[in-house]
Amino acid sequence: MILIDPPAVARWDRLWSHLASDTSYDEAHAFAERHGIPSRGWDRDHYDVPEEWYDAMVEAGAVPVTSRQLVAALRAAGLRRPKPLRD
């Protein structure tokens, strides 16, 4: 299933959502390609999607969830890739 959280992360003068699959990276990549999300939006285990795309992604079939639910789903599926720790 493709999941999307509400636009809440501020960067580059806009808000961003996270779009991910709770099944596989391949599912996320296929959805992104079908709906014009650029590959540069991929960040370890999700796509960053600008707030103005949120409604279109939901209409295309992404399921709205909270940020916590999205992370929990990724963890449960073994797909969560946290940022590496820096010294």
Side-chain angles (χ1 to χ4, degrees):
M1 176 175 4
I2 298 295
L3 309 172
I4 191 167
D5 66 1
V9 178
R11 192 162 193 187
W12 299 301
D13 296 323
R14 59 186 357 172
L15 292 176
W16 296 81
S17 291
H18 303 106
L19 183 136
S21 167
D22 68 350
T23 305
S24 70
Y25 301 130
D26 289 340
E27 181 184 42
H29 295 314
F31 184 91
E33 186 175 331
R34 277 193 314 275
H35 300 289
I37 301 170
S39 61
R40 70 181 177 274
W42 179 250
D43 186 13
R44 297 177 325 276
D45 55 13
H46 67 275
Y47 282 91
D48 293 322
V49 179
E51 67 180 318
E52 59 269 19
W53 291 25
Y54 179 83
D55 290 337
M57 295 300 101
V58 171
E59 288 177 24
V63 177
V65 295
T66 68
S67 297
R68 288 179 188 219
Q69 289 171 319
L70 189 141
V71 171
L74 286 172
R75 283 188 180 140
L79 298 172
R80 181 71 172 139
R81 290 183 179 163
K83 288 184 180 179
L85 297 175
R86 296 185 184 170
D87 294 333

Coordinates of all heavy atoms in Angstrom, one line a residue:
M1 N 0.9 -1.2 0.0 CA 0.0 0.0 0.0 C 0.9 1.2 0.0 O 1.9 1.3 0.7 CB -0.9 0.0 1.2 CG -1.7 1.2 1.4 SD -2.9 1.1 2.8 CE -2.6 -0.3 3.7
I2 N 0.5 2.3 -0.7 CA 1.2 3.5 -0.7 C 0.6 4.4 0.3 O -0.6 4.6 0.4 CB 1.1 4.2 -2.1 CG1 1.8 3.3 -3.2 CG2 1.8 5.6 -2.1 CD1 3.3 3.1 -3.0
L3 N 1.5 5.0 1.2 CA 1.1 5.8 2.3 C 1.7 7.3 2.1 O 2.7 7.4 1.5 CB 1.6 5.3 3.6 CG 1.3 3.8 3.9 CD1 2.1 3.4 5.1 CD2 -0.1 3.6 4.0
I4 N 0.9 8.3 2.6 CA 1.4 9.6 2.5 C 1.0 10.3 3.8 O -0.1 10.2 4.3 CB 0.9 10.4 1.3 CG1 1.6 11.7 1.1 CG2 -0.6 10.5 1.3 CD1 1.4 12.4 -0.2
D5 N 2.0 11.1 4.4 CA 1.7 11.8 5.6 C 1.4 13.3 5.2 O 1.7 13.7 4.1 CB 2.8 11.7 6.7 CG 4.1 12.3 6.3 OD1 4.3 12.9 5.2 OD2 5.0 12.2 7.1
P6 N 0.8 14.1 6.1 CA 0.4 15.4 5.8 C 1.7 16.3 5.6 O 2.7 16.0 6.2 CB -0.4 15.9 7.0 CG -0.4 14.8 8.0 CD 0.4 13.7 7.4
P7 N 1.5 17.3 4.7 CA 2.7 18.2 4.6 C 3.0 18.9 5.9 O 2.2 19.7 6.4 CB 2.2 19.2 3.5 CG 0.9 18.7 3.0 CD 0.4 17.7 4.0
A8 N 4.2 18.7 6.4 CA 4.5 19.3 7.7 C 6.0 19.6 7.8 O 6.4 20.3 8.7 CB 4.2 18.3 8.8
V9 N 6.8 19.1 6.9 CA 8.3 19.4 7.0 C 8.6 20.6 6.1 O 8.4 20.6 4.9 CB 9.1 18.2 6.5 CG1 10.6 18.5 6.5 CG2 8.8 17.0 7.4
A10 N 9.1 21.7 6.7 CA 9.4 22.9 6.0 C 10.9 22.8 5.5 O 11.8 22.5 6.2 CB 9.3 24.1 6.9
R11 N 11.0 23.1 4.2 CA 12.3 23.2 3.5 C 12.1 23.9 2.2 O 11.1 23.6 1.5 CB 12.9 21.8 3.3 CG 14.3 21.8 2.9 CD 14.9 20.4 3.1 NE 16.3 20.6 3.1 CZ 17.2 19.6 3.1 NH1 16.7 18.4 3.2 NH2 18.5 19.8 3.0
W12 N 13.1 24.7 1.8 CA 13.0 25.4 0.6 C 11.7 26.2 0.4 O 11.1 26.2 -0.7 CB 13.3 24.5 -0.6 CG 14.6 23.8 -0.6 CD1 15.8 24.4 -0.6 CD2 14.8 22.4 -0.6 NE1 16.8 23.4 -0.5 CE2 16.2 22.2 -0.5 CE3 14.0 21.3 -0.6 CZ2 16.8 20.9 -0.5 CZ3 14.6 20.1 -0.6 CH2 15.9 19.9 -0.5
D13 N 11.3 26.9 1.4 CA 10.2 27.8 1.4 C 8.9 27.1 1.1 O 8.0 27.7 0.5 CB 10.4 29.0 0.5 CG 11.5 29.9 0.9 OD1 11.7 30.0 2.1 OD2 12.3 30.4 0.1
R14 N 8.7 25.8 1.4 CA 7.5 25.1 1.2 C 7.4 24.0 2.2 O 8.3 23.6 2.9 CB 7.3 24.6 -0.2 CG 8.4 23.7 -0.6 CD 8.5 23.2 -2.1 NE 7.6 23.5 -3.1 CZ 7.8 23.2 -4.3 NH1 8.9 22.6 -4.7 NH2 6.9 23.5 -5.2
L15 N 6.2 23.4 2.3 CA 6.0 22.2 3.2 C 6.1 20.9 2.3 O 5.7 20.9 1.2 CB 4.7 22.3 3.9 CG 4.6 23.4 4.9 CD1 3.2 23.4 5.5 CD2 5.6 23.3 6.0
W16 N 6.5 19.8 3.0 CA 6.7 18.6 2.2 C 6.0 17.4 3.0 O 5.9 17.4 4.2 CB 8.2 18.3 2.1 CG 8.9 19.3 1.3 CD1 9.4 20.5 1.7 CD2 9.2 19.2 -0.1 NE1 10.0 21.1 0.7 CE2 9.9 20.4 -0.4 CE3 9.0 18.2 -1.0 CZ2 10.4 20.6 -1.7 CZ3 9.5 18.4 -2.3 CH2 10.2 19.6 -2.6
S17 N 5.5 16.5 2.2 CA 4.9 15.2 2.7 C 6.0 14.1 2.4 O 6.9 14.3 1.6 CB 3.6 14.9 2.0 OG 2.6 15.7 2.3
H18 N 5.7 13.0 3.0 CA 6.5 11.8 2.8 C 5.6 10.7 2.2 O 4.5 10.5 2.7 CB 7.2 11.3 4.0 CG 8.0 12.3 4.7 ND1 7.7 12.9 5.9 CD2 9.2 12.8 4.4 CE1 8.6 13.8 6.2 NE2 9.6 13.7 5.3
L19 N 6.0 10.2 1.1 CA 5.3 9.1 0.4 C 6.1 7.9 0.4 O 7.3 7.9 0.0 CB 4.9 9.6 -1.0 CG 4.1 8.6 -1.8 CD1 3.0 9.4 -2.6 CD2 4.9 7.8 -2.8
A20 N 5.5 6.7 0.8 CA 6.3 5.5 0.9 C 5.3 4.3 0.7 O 4.1 4.4 0.8 CB 6.9 5.4 2.3
S21 N 5.9 3.2 0.5 CA 5.2 1.9 0.4 C 5.4 1.1 1.7 O 6.6 1.1 2.2 CB 5.7 1.1 -0.8 OG 5.2 -0.2 -0.7
D22 N 4.4 0.4 2.2 CA 4.6 -0.5 3.3 C 4.8 -1.9 2.8 O 4.8 -2.8 3.6 CB 3.4 -0.4 4.3 CG 2.1 -1.0 3.7 OD1 2.1 -1.2 2.5 OD2 1.2 -1.1 4.4
T23 N 5.1 -2.0 1.5 CA 5.3 -3.3 0.9 C 6.7 -3.5 0.3 O 7.3 -4.5 0.6 CB 4.2 -3.6 -0.3 OG1 2.9 -3.4 0.3 CG2 4.4 -5.0 -0.9
S24 N 7.1 -2.5 -0.5 CA 8.4 -2.7 -1.1 C 8.9 -1.3 -1.7 O 8.0 -0.5 -2.0 CB 8.4 -3.7 -2.2 OG 7.7 -3.2 -3.3
Y25 N 10.2 -1.2 -1.8 CA 10.7 0.0 -2.5 C 10.2 0.1 -4.0 O 9.9 1.1 -4.5 CB 12.2 0.1 -2.4 CG 12.8 0.1 -1.0 CD1 13.8 -0.8 -0.6 CD2 12.3 1.0 -0.1 CE1 14.3 -0.8 0.6 CE2 12.8 1.0 1.2 CZ 13.8 0.1 1.6 OH 14.3 0.1 2.8
D26 N 10.2 -1.1 -4.6 CA 9.7 -1.2 -6.0 C 8.3 -0.6 -6.1 O 8.1 0.1 -7.1 CB 9.8 -2.6 -6.5 CG 11.2 -3.2 -6.7 OD1 12.1 -2.3 -6.8 OD2 11.4 -4.4 -6.7
E27 N 7.4 -0.9 -5.2 CA 6.1 -0.4 -5.3 C 6.1 1.2 -5.2 O 5.4 1.8 -5.9 CB 5.2 -0.9 -4.2 CG 3.8 -0.4 -4.2 CD 2.9 -0.9 -3.1 OE1 3.3 -0.9 -1.9 OE2 1.7 -1.2 -3.4
A28 N 6.9 1.7 -4.3 CA 7.0 3.1 -4.1 C 7.6 3.8 -5.4 O 7.1 4.8 -5.9 CB 7.9 3.5 -2.9
H29 N 8.6 3.1 -6.0 CA 9.2 3.7 -7.2 C 8.3 3.6 -8.4 O 8.2 4.6 -9.2 CB 10.5 2.9 -7.6 CG 11.6 3.1 -6.6 ND1 12.0 4.3 -6.0 CD2 12.4 2.1 -6.0 CE1 13.0 4.1 -5.2 NE2 13.3 2.8 -5.1
A30 N 7.5 2.6 -8.5 CA 6.5 2.4 -9.6 C 5.4 3.5 -9.5 O 5.1 4.1 -10.5 CB 5.9 1.0 -9.6
F31 N 4.9 3.7 -8.3 CA 3.9 4.8 -8.0 C 4.5 6.1 -8.4 O 3.8 6.9 -9.1 CB 3.5 4.7 -6.6 CG 2.3 5.7 -6.3 CD1 1.0 5.3 -6.4 CD2 2.6 7.0 -5.9 CE1 0.0 6.1 -6.1 CE2 1.6 7.9 -5.6 CZ 0.3 7.4 -5.7
A32 N 5.7 6.4 -7.9 CA 6.3 7.7 -8.2 C 6.5 7.9 -9.7 O 6.2 9.0 -10.2 CB 7.7 7.8 -7.5
E33 N 6.9 6.9 -10.4 CA 7.1 7.0 -11.8 C 5.8 7.3 -12.5 O 5.7 8.1 -13.4 CB 7.8 5.8 -12.4 CG 8.2 5.9 -13.9 CD 8.9 4.7 -14.4 OE1 9.7 4.1 -13.6 OE2 8.8 4.4 -15.6
R34 N 4.8 6.6 -12.2 CA 3.4 6.7 -12.8 C 2.9 8.1 -12.6 O 2.1 8.6 -13.4 CB 2.4 5.7 -12.2 CG 2.5 4.4 -12.9 CD 1.3 3.5 -12.5 NE 0.9 3.5 -11.1 CZ 1.4 2.7 -10.2 NH1 2.4 1.8 -10.5 NH2 1.0 2.7 -8.9
H35 N 3.2 8.7 -11.5 CA 2.6 10.0 -11.1 C 3.6 11.2 -11.2 O 3.3 12.3 -10.6 CB 1.9 9.9 -9.7 CG 0.9 8.8 -9.7 ND1 -0.3 9.0 -10.4 CD2 0.9 7.6 -9.2 CE1 -1.0 7.9 -10.3 NE2 -0.3 7.0 -9.6
G36 N 4.7 11.0 -11.8 CA 5.6 12.1 -12.1 C 6.4 12.6 -11.0 O 6.9 13.8 -11.0
I37 N 6.6 11.8 -9.9 CA 7.5 12.3 -8.8 C 8.9 12.0 -9.3 O 9.3 10.9 -9.6 CB 7.2 11.5 -7.5 CG1 5.7 11.7 -7.1 CG2 8.1 11.9 -6.4 CD1 5.3 10.8 -6.0
P38 N 9.8 13.0 -9.3 CA 11.1 12.9 -9.8 C 11.9 11.9 -8.9 O 11.8 11.9 -7.7 CB 11.7 14.3 -9.8 CG 10.7 15.2 -9.2 CD 9.5 14.4 -8.9
S39 N 12.8 11.2 -9.5 CA 13.7 10.2 -8.7 C 14.5 11.0 -7.7 O 14.9 10.4 -6.7 CB 14.5 9.4 -9.6 OG 15.4 10.2 -10.4
R40 N 14.9 12.2 -7.9 CA 15.7 13.0 -7.0 C 14.9 13.2 -5.6 O 15.5 13.6 -4.6 CB 16.2 14.3 -7.5 CG 15.1 15.3 -7.7 CD 15.6 16.6 -8.3 NE 14.6 17.6 -8.6 CZ 13.9 17.6 -9.7 NH1 14.1 16.8 -10.7 NH2 12.9 18.5 -9.8
G41 N 13.6 12.9 -5.6 CA 12.8 13.1 -4.4 C 13.0 11.9 -3.5 O 12.4 11.9 -2.4
W42 N 13.7 10.8 -3.9 CA 13.8 9.6 -3.1 C 14.8 9.9 -2.0 O 15.9 10.4 -2.2 CB 14.3 8.4 -3.9 CG 14.5 7.2 -3.2 CD1 15.7 6.6 -2.9 CD2 13.5 6.3 -2.6 NE1 15.5 5.4 -2.2 CE2 14.2 5.2 -2.0 CE3 12.1 6.4 -2.6 CZ2 13.5 4.2 -1.4 CZ3 11.4 5.4 -1.9 CH2 12.1 4.3 -1.3
D43 N 14.5 9.6 -0.7 CA 15.3 9.8 0.4 C 15.3 8.5 1.3 O 14.5 8.4 2.2 CB 14.9 11.0 1.2 CG 15.8 11.4 2.3 OD1 16.9 10.8 2.4 OD2 15.4 12.2 3.2
R44 N 16.2 7.6 1.0 CA 16.4 6.3 1.7 C 15.3 5.4 1.7 O 15.4 4.2 1.3 CB 16.8 6.6 3.2 CG 18.1 7.4 3.4 CD 18.4 7.7 4.8 NE 17.3 8.0 5.7 CZ 16.7 9.2 5.8 NH1 17.1 10.2 5.1 NH2 15.7 9.4 6.6
D45 N 14.1 5.8 2.1 CA 12.9 4.9 2.2 C 11.6 5.5 1.9 O 10.6 4.9 2.1 CB 12.9 4.2 3.6 CG 12.8 5.3 4.7 OD1 12.6 6.5 4.4 OD2 13.0 4.9 5.9
H46 N 11.7 6.8 1.4 CA 10.4 7.5 1.0 C 10.7 8.6 0.0 O 11.9 8.9 -0.3 CB 9.9 8.2 2.3 CG 10.7 9.3 2.8 ND1 11.8 9.0 3.6 CD2 10.7 10.6 2.5 CE1 12.4 10.2 3.9 NE2 11.8 11.1 3.3
Y47 N 9.7 9.1 -0.6 CA 9.8 10.2 -1.5 C 9.3 11.5 -0.8 O 8.4 11.4 0.0 CB 8.9 10.1 -2.7 CG 9.5 9.1 -3.8 CD1 9.2 7.8 -3.8 CD2 10.3 9.7 -4.8 CE1 9.8 6.9 -4.7 CE2 10.9 8.8 -5.7 CZ 10.6 7.5 -5.7 OH 11.2 6.6 -6.6
D48 N 10.0 12.6 -1.0 CA 9.6 13.9 -0.5 C 8.7 14.5 -1.5 O 9.1 14.5 -2.7 CB 10.8 14.8 -0.2 CG 11.6 14.3 1.0 OD1 11.1 13.8 1.9 OD2 12.9 14.4 0.9
V49 N 7.5 14.8 -1.2 CA 6.5 15.4 -2.1 C 6.0 16.7 -1.6 O 5.6 16.9 -0.5 CB 5.3 14.4 -2.2 CG1 4.2 14.9 -3.1 CG2 5.7 13.0 -2.6
P50 N 6.1 17.7 -2.5 CA 5.7 19.1 -2.1 C 4.2 19.1 -1.8 O 3.4 18.4 -2.3 CB 6.0 20.0 -3.3 CG 6.1 19.0 -4.5 CD 6.5 17.7 -3.9
E51 N 3.8 20.0 -0.8 CA 2.5 20.1 -0.3 C 1.4 20.3 -1.4 O 0.3 19.8 -1.3 CB 2.3 21.2 0.7 CG 2.5 22.6 0.1 CD 2.4 23.7 1.2 OE1 1.5 23.6 2.0 OE2 3.2 24.6 1.2
E52 N 1.8 21.0 -2.5 CA 0.8 21.2 -3.6 C 0.5 19.9 -4.3 O -0.5 19.9 -5.1 CB 1.2 22.3 -4.5 CG 2.5 22.1 -5.2 CD 3.7 22.7 -4.5 OE1 3.6 22.9 -3.2 OE2 4.8 22.9 -5.1
W53 N 1.2 18.9 -4.1 CA 0.9 17.6 -4.8 C 0.1 16.6 -3.9 O -0.3 15.6 -4.3 CB 2.3 16.9 -5.1 CG 3.0 17.5 -6.2 CD1 3.0 18.8 -6.6 CD2 4.0 16.9 -7.1 NE1 3.9 19.0 -7.7 CE2 4.5 17.8 -7.9 CE3 4.4 15.6 -7.2 CZ2 5.5 17.5 -8.9 CZ3 5.4 15.3 -8.1 CH2 5.9 16.2 -9.0
Y54 N 0.0 17.0 -2.6 CA -0.6 16.1 -1.6 C -2.0 15.6 -2.1 O -2.2 14.3 -2.2 CB -0.7 16.8 -0.3 CG -1.4 15.9 0.8 CD1 -0.7 15.0 1.5 CD2 -2.8 16.0 1.1 CE1 -1.2 14.2 2.5 CE2 -3.4 15.2 2.0 CZ -2.6 14.3 2.7 OH -3.2 13.5 3.7
D55 N -2.9 16.4 -2.4 CA -4.3 16.0 -2.8 C -4.2 15.1 -4.1 O -5.0 14.1 -4.1 CB -5.2 17.2 -3.1 CG -5.5 18.0 -1.8 OD1 -5.4 17.4 -0.7 OD2 -5.8 19.2 -1.9
A56 N -3.4 15.4 -5.0 CA -3.3 14.6 -6.2 C -2.8 13.2 -5.9 O -3.2 12.2 -6.5 CB -2.4 15.3 -7.3
M57 N -1.9 13.1 -5.0 CA -1.3 11.8 -4.6 C -2.4 11.0 -3.9 O -2.5 9.8 -4.1 CB -0.1 11.9 -3.7 CG 1.1 12.6 -4.4 SD 1.7 11.7 -5.8 CE 1.0 12.6 -7.2
V58 N -3.2 11.6 -3.0 CA -4.3 10.9 -2.4 C -5.4 10.5 -3.4 O -5.8 9.3 -3.4 CB -5.0 11.8 -1.3 CG1 -6.2 11.2 -0.8 CG2 -4.0 12.1 -0.2
E59 N -5.7 11.3 -4.4 CA -6.6 11.0 -5.5 C -6.1 9.8 -6.3 O -6.8 9.0 -6.8 CB -6.9 12.2 -6.4 CG -7.8 13.2 -5.7 CD -8.0 14.5 -6.6 OE1 -7.8 14.3 -7.8 OE2 -8.2 15.5 -6.0
A60 N -4.7 9.7 -6.4 CA -4.1 8.7 -7.2 C -4.1 7.3 -6.4 O -3.7 6.3 -7.0 CB -2.7 9.1 -7.6
G61 N -4.4 7.4 -5.1 CA -4.5 6.1 -4.4 C -3.6 6.1 -3.1 O -3.7 5.1 -2.4
A62 N -2.8 7.1 -2.9 CA -2.0 7.1 -1.7 C -2.9 7.2 -0.4 O -3.9 8.0 -0.5 CB -1.0 8.2 -1.7
V63 N -2.7 6.5 0.6 CA -3.5 6.5 1.8 C -3.0 7.5 2.8 O -1.8 7.4 3.2 CB -3.6 5.1 2.4 CG1 -4.4 5.1 3.7 CG2 -4.1 4.1 1.4
P64 N -3.8 8.5 3.2 CA -3.3 9.4 4.2 C -3.2 8.8 5.5 O -4.0 8.1 6.0 CB -4.4 10.5 4.2 CG -5.3 10.2 3.0 CD -5.1 8.8 2.7
V65 N -2.0 9.0 6.1 CA -1.7 8.5 7.5 C -0.9 9.6 8.2 O -0.4 10.6 7.6 CB -0.9 7.2 7.5 CG1 -1.6 6.1 6.8 CG2 0.5 7.5 6.7
T66 N -0.8 9.5 9.5 CA 0.1 10.4 10.2 C 1.5 10.1 10.0 O 1.8 8.9 9.5 CB -0.2 10.3 11.8 OG1 0.2 9.1 12.2 CG2 -1.7 10.6 12.1
S67 N 2.4 11.0 10.3 CA 3.8 10.7 10.2 C 4.2 9.5 11.0 O 5.0 8.7 10.6 CB 4.6 11.9 10.6 OG 4.3 13.0 9.7
R68 N 3.7 9.4 12.2 CA 4.0 8.3 13.1 C 3.6 7.0 12.5 O 4.3 5.9 12.6 CB 3.5 8.5 14.5 CG 4.2 9.6 15.3 CD 3.6 9.7 16.6 NE 4.1 10.9 17.3 CZ 4.5 11.0 18.5 NH1 4.2 10.0 19.3 NH2 5.0 12.1 19.0
Q69 N 2.4 7.0 11.9 CA 1.9 5.7 11.3 C 2.7 5.3 10.1 O 3.0 4.2 9.9 CB 0.4 6.0 10.9 CG -0.6 6.0 12.0 CD -2.0 6.5 11.5 OE1 -2.1 7.3 10.7 NE2 -3.0 5.8 12.1
L70 N 3.2 6.3 9.3 CA 4.0 6.0 8.2 C 5.3 5.4 8.6 O 5.7 4.3 8.1 CB 4.3 7.3 7.4 CG 5.0 7.1 6.0 CD1 4.4 8.0 5.0 CD2 6.5 7.3 6.2
V71 N 6.0 5.9 9.6 CA 7.2 5.4 10.1 C 7.0 4.0 10.7 O 7.8 3.1 10.5 CB 7.9 6.3 11.2 CG1 9.1 5.6 11.9 CG2 8.4 7.6 10.5
A72 N 5.9 3.8 11.5 CA 5.6 2.5 12.1 C 5.4 1.5 11.0 O 5.9 0.3 11.1 CB 4.4 2.6 13.0
A73 N 4.7 1.8 9.9 CA 4.5 0.9 8.8 C 5.8 0.5 8.1 O 6.0 -0.7 7.8 CB 3.5 1.5 7.8
L74 N 6.7 1.5 7.9 CA 8.0 1.2 7.3 C 8.8 0.2 8.2 O 9.4 -0.7 7.8 CB 8.8 2.4 7.1 CG 8.3 3.3 5.9 CD1 9.1 4.6 5.9 CD2 8.5 2.6 4.6
R75 N 8.8 0.5 9.5 CA 9.5 -0.4 10.5 C 8.9 -1.8 10.5 O 9.6 -2.8 10.5 CB 9.4 0.2 11.9 CG 10.4 1.4 12.1 CD 10.5 1.8 13.5 NE 11.4 2.9 13.6 CZ 11.2 3.9 14.4 NH1 10.1 4.0 15.2 NH2 12.1 4.9 14.5
A76 N 7.6 -1.9 10.5 CA 6.9 -3.2 10.6 C 7.2 -4.0 9.4 O 7.4 -5.2 9.4 CB 5.4 -3.0 10.8
A77 N 7.4 -3.3 8.2 CA 7.7 -4.0 7.0 C 9.2 -4.3 6.8 O 9.6 -4.9 5.8 CB 7.2 -3.2 5.8
G78 N 10.0 -3.8 7.7 CA 11.5 -3.9 7.6 C 12.1 -3.0 6.5 O 13.1 -3.3 6.0
L79 N 11.3 -1.9 6.2 CA 11.8 -1.0 5.1 C 12.4 0.3 5.6 O 12.8 1.1 4.8 CB 10.6 -0.7 4.2 CG 10.0 -1.9 3.4 CD1 8.8 -1.6 2.7 CD2 11.1 -2.5 2.5
R80 N 12.4 0.5 6.9 CA 12.9 1.8 7.4 C 14.4 1.9 7.3 O 15.1 0.9 7.8 CB 12.4 2.0 8.9 CG 12.8 3.3 9.5 CD 12.0 4.4 8.9 NE 12.3 5.6 9.7 CZ 12.5 6.8 9.2 NH1 12.4 7.0 7.9 NH2 12.8 7.9 9.9
R81 N 14.9 2.9 6.8 CA 16.3 3.2 6.6 C 16.6 4.5 7.3 O 16.6 5.6 6.7 CB 16.7 3.2 5.2 CG 16.7 1.9 4.5 CD 17.2 2.1 3.1 NE 17.2 0.8 2.3 CZ 17.3 0.7 1.0 NH1 17.5 1.8 0.3 NH2 17.3 -0.4 0.5
P82 N 17.0 4.5 8.6 CA 17.3 5.8 9.3 C 18.5 6.4 8.7 O 19.4 5.7 8.2 CB 17.4 5.3 10.7 CG 17.6 3.9 10.8 CD 17.1 3.3 9.5
K83 N 18.6 7.7 9.0 CA 19.8 8.4 8.6 C 21.0 7.9 9.4 O 20.8 7.6 10.6 CB 19.7 9.9 8.8 CG 18.7 10.6 7.9 CD 18.7 12.1 8.2 CE 17.7 12.8 7.2 NZ 17.6 14.2 7.4
P84 N 22.2 7.8 8.8 CA 23.3 7.3 9.5 C 23.7 8.4 10.6 O 23.5 9.6 10.4 CB 24.4 7.2 8.5 CG 23.9 7.8 7.2 CD 22.4 8.1 7.4
L85 N 24.2 7.9 11.7 CA 24.7 8.7 12.8 C 26.0 9.4 12.3 O 26.8 8.8 11.7 CB 24.9 7.9 14.0 CG 23.7 7.3 14.6 CD1 24.1 6.4 15.8 CD2 22.7 8.3 15.1
R86 N 26.1 10.7 12.7 CA 27.3 11.4 12.4 C 28.1 11.8 13.6 O 27.5 12.0 14.7 CB 27.0 12.7 11.6 CG 26.3 12.5 10.3 CD 26.1 13.7 9.6 NE 25.4 13.4 8.3 CZ 24.9 14.3 7.5 NH1 25.0 15.6 7.8 NH2 24.3 14.0 6.4
D87 N 29.4 11.8 13.6 CA 30.2 12.2 14.7 C 30.3 13.6 14.9 O 30.2 14.4 14.0 CB 31.6 11.6 14.6 CG 31.6 10.1 14.6 OD1 30.7 9.5 15.2 OD2 32.5 9.5 14.0

